[in-house]
Amino acid sequence: MAVIFSAIFPILGALTLCCVYSHPQKLILFLRVVSKRPDGYHHLSSIFQTISLGDILTIDLHAQDEFTCTDPSLSMNGSNLISKAISLFRYKTGCKQCFKVHLTKRIPIQAGLGGGSSNAATTLWACNQLTNTKASIADLKQWSGEIGSDIPFFFSHGTAHCTGRGEIVRDLPNLPIHSLWVVKPSKGLSTPEVYHRLNFTDSLSAKIVQEDLDSFLSGCLPYFNDLEKPALEIEPELYRLKTSLLKGGFEGVLMSGSGSAFFCLGQGVLPKHPHLTFFSAHYIHRSPSSWYKEVP
Ligand code: C5P
């Protein structure tokens, strides 16, 4: 069986029996923490956007599960989100199939770009295609919320308003294509630690949350992230980085999710520093019946 979804390996793909998937990262353009939940999670009102950066996942049917990854720091045992996605797929569908997976990690972990979540969503999509199971997008989206709050978003078209823990996803019209820079410091940040530091005790009213969202979508409210302040408190060096990016003349500079990556919109000069990696990217979208195709 040959099912090819990658835009960048069409010739190689036609000669192999595996699926090669490129998968996107996400930016959080707007994130309001609404309240703390009794289970320790936080209710959010946020806008997620997929961008043209990503890892490459090669997946094939196999006699037993086998995982390899180019990044040795990433655990490839059962705790990895790819393993969890495969177990979830088998549990939900009753399918007994095993898979061989190779992950070419190109975007650093602990960046706030949803790399692990994207890996999991891509794995679920690939398992469904390779086994010809025909679970609906709605099913994959719903199941995926059981293993991570940010995974269902990747089953949207690429621009969505995400609420609940992040797992309630409502597609939004595509935003205009923005070119941007993603700036990743070598040091990462732990998502639970950033939420913990936030120490959120408020509870925003539904009216305020709706007004904020409407203002953002009409262009009146700037890009905004409630997790930026606690992240900068944990790593004050990131505050200095944000200041120097703003001094470079960019129109907007914001931490993505729980960090540590920033995205910079508009024109500007990037600082030179050995601990910084820069990625040029733009917004991308998925067509209804296929996976994201475009990575650099
Ligand atoms: O669901 P996920 O594994 O992505 O969440 C990682 C951690 O981030 C959680 O354990 C929790 O500490 C925090 N989190 C949160 N509220 C959310 C999403 C995540 O507090 N809406």
Side-chain angles (χ1 to χ4, degrees):
M1 186 192 326
V3 191
I4 307 305
F5 284 84
S6 170
I8 56 173
F9 294 134
I11 298 169
L12 173 67
L15 301 173
T16 63
L17 292 177
C18 61
C19 280
V20 182
Y21 292 85
S22 52
H23 41 110
Q25 309 294 123
K26 70 163 188 342
L27 289 179
I28 299 184
L29 305 180
F30 172 86
L31 187 150
R32 272 267 180 253
V33 176
V34 175
S35 60
K36 187 162 184 188
R37 301 163 31 135
D39 62 5
Y41 278 84
H42 296 77
H43 279 294
L44 306 178
S45 168
S46 53
I47 296 179
F48 289 4
Q49 172 65 54
T50 41
I51 55 169
S52 60
L53 291 180
D55 303 328
I56 301 284
L57 185 92
T58 308
I59 180 163
D60 200 0
L61 304 178
H62 205 52
Q64 67 278 327
D65 285 337
E66 199 178 296
F67 307 112
T68 48
C69 178
T70 50
D71 180 348
S73 72
L74 205 73
S75 142
M76 291 307 279
N77 62 24
S79 67
N80 186 283
L81 275 172
I82 289 177
S83 310
K84 287 187 181 173
I86 288 176
S87 302
L88 181 77
F89 178 76
R90 283 197 288 252
Y91 174 70
K92 293 291 184 184
T93 61
C95 172
K96 301 272 182 285
Q97 182 63 51
C98 293
F99 300 90
K100 180 178 181 169
V101 183
H102 179 69
L103 179 64
T104 306
K105 197 86 194 123
R106 307 194 312 169
I107 306 300
I109 55 173
Q110 292 201 319
L113 298 170
S117 301
S118 173
N119 292 166
T122 306
T123 302
L124 274 173
W125 173 277
C127 291
N128 196 36
Q129 295 289 324
L130 274 172
T131 58
N132 206 17
T133 300
K134 298 194 171 70
S136 67
I137 293 272
D139 282 341
L140 297 175
K141 189 195 251 183
Q142 195 196 346
W143 299 343
S144 67
E146 294 178 22
I147 56 171
S149 310
D150 291 353
I151 306 174
F153 159 69
F154 290 95
F155 295 99
S156 74
H157 295 165
T159 308
H161 181 224
C162 302
T163 53
R165 285 182 289 119
E167 88 288 13
I168 302 171
V169 178
R170 181 171 61 91
D171 271 288
L172 290 175
N174 293 356
L175 294 169
I177 296 190
H178 269 295
S179 291
L180 52 101
W181 283 99
V182 173
V183 180
K184 173 69 179 80
S186 53
K187 207 159 193 177
L189 281 173
S190 142
T191 303
E193 199 183 336
V194 173
Y195 272 104
H196 185 72
R197 180 70 177 228
L198 176 72
N199 196 16
F200 195 80
T201 49
D202 288 351
S203 196
L204 302 186
S205 73
K207 185 167 173 282
I208 289 182
V209 172
Q210 187 59 46
E211 280 171 5
D212 271 4
L213 180 67
D214 293 344
S215 299
F216 179 77
L217 290 174
S218 65
C220 298
L221 198 69
Y223 289 67
F224 185 86
N225 180 1
D226 270 335
L227 297 180
E228 189 179 74
K229 188 168 173 282
L232 299 186
E233 281 170 11
I234 294 171
E235 275 301 334
E237 257 177 55
L238 295 177
Y239 180 78
R240 288 188 279 281
L241 172 58
K242 175 158 178 160
T243 308
S244 85
L245 290 169
L246 283 168
K247 274 192 190 144
F250 290 102
E251 194 181 296
V253 175
L254 191 70
M255 178 163 281
S256 182
S258 56
S260 61
F262 287 92
F263 62 93
C264 308
L265 295 161
Q267 300 292 317
V269 180
L270 293 164
K272 287 195 175 60
H273 197 283
H275 296 300
L276 296 178
T277 317
F278 305 104
F279 303 92
S280 166
H282 55 265
Y283 295 177
I284 59 168
H285 296 95
R286 183 178 70 77
S287 64
S289 57
S290 64
W291 201 237
Y292 302 88
K293 290 196 169 71
E294 194 182 356
V295 290

